[in-house]
Amino acid sequence: MTEGKTVATAMIGAAAFLLALMPAAHAAQCGNGPGGFEAWKREFSAEAQGKGIGQTAIAALMQTNYASATINADRSQHSFSLSLEQFLAKRGATTIVARGRSLKQSQAAMFASIEQRYGVPPGPLIAIWGMETGFGSQRGNQNMLSSIATLAYDCRRPEFFTEQLYAALKLVDRGVLSGSTRGSMHGEVGQTQFMPKNILAYGTGNLDVAANALSSTANFLKANGWRAGAGYQPGEPNFAAIQAWNAAGVYQKAIALMGRQIDGGGGAAAR
C-alpha cells in the first residue's frame, strides 16, 4: 500500500468515526397531548423548509394551535360502526334524497356538463354533497391548518396526516388556501370536503363553489376508475371509486343507495 493510499484510508476512517458520534437526523417526534406541539412545529418547520416549503406557509404553520376539538373528534367516530339503517337515519338520508332530487332538476345543466366530461351521473355526486356538508350548509368552522398540523403531530396516524400537511403547506404557498382557511375537524374543506392532497390532485377551482366542488369530486371518481355508464352499487364496477372516496363501508353503501334513489332507481334501505 502506498503512503497516499494510507493517508486517504486514515482520513476516511476518521470521517466515519466523526459521523458515528453525531446525532442521527430524525423526523419531528409525534406526541399524544399539547405539551410537545410547539417544539414539534419548530422541528417540522425546519424539515419543511429543507423540502422547499416557502416562508408564507412556514409562517402560517408556526401560527397554528393544538386543536383539542379535532383530537376529540378523531377519537370518537362512532357513527361508522352503526348498521346501514342506523347510519342512514342518523345522517338524514330521506332529506338528502328528497333535496337531491330537487337539485338534480334545478341544476340539470350543471350536472349534464359534469357527466359529459367525467362520466359520473348526478346521483352519487349529490349524495356525497348532501352527506358531507348538507349541500354546503355545514362546511365546518375549524382552522384547517391547525387541525391538520395537530393530526400530523399526533401519534395515532402521523404518516397519513404528515402527507396532508405538506400538501396543505404547498397550497398555502400557492395562495389556494391560507392560514385562516376554515374547514371540518380533520381539515376537510369545501362543499364536498376535500383533503389537501386531493385538492392538489383533483381540485378544479374554488371548492367553496358548488360547481367546482362537484366537478372535483367527479374528477376524483373518474381518476379512481369510474366508468361512464357502469353501475355503482356494491359488486358493480364503479363501487370501487366510491370506496376510494371514503374508507368506511357503511358510508360507501349509503352513498350508493342514496345515489340510486336520486338517480331514479328507487329502493329501500339495504338489508
Side-chain angles (χ1 to χ4, degrees), residues 26-68:
H26 60 276
Q29 296 300 296
C30 69
N32 291 307
F37 186 59
E38 293 300 318
W40 175 88
K41 284 196 303 186
R42 291 191 293 272
E43 292 180 37
F44 191 93
S45 293
E47 295 168 16
Q49 283 181 295
K51 294 184 178 181
I53 299 297
Q55 286 304 311
T56 299
I58 295 297
L61 175 61
M62 293 306 296
Q63 292 298 312
T64 59
N65 297 310
Y66 183 83
S68 296

Side-chain angles (χ1 to χ4, degrees), residues 3-19:
E3 182 179 352
K5 287 184 178 180
T6 302
V7 172
T9 301
M11 291 176 66
I12 292 170
F17 177 73
L18 290 172
L19 285 172

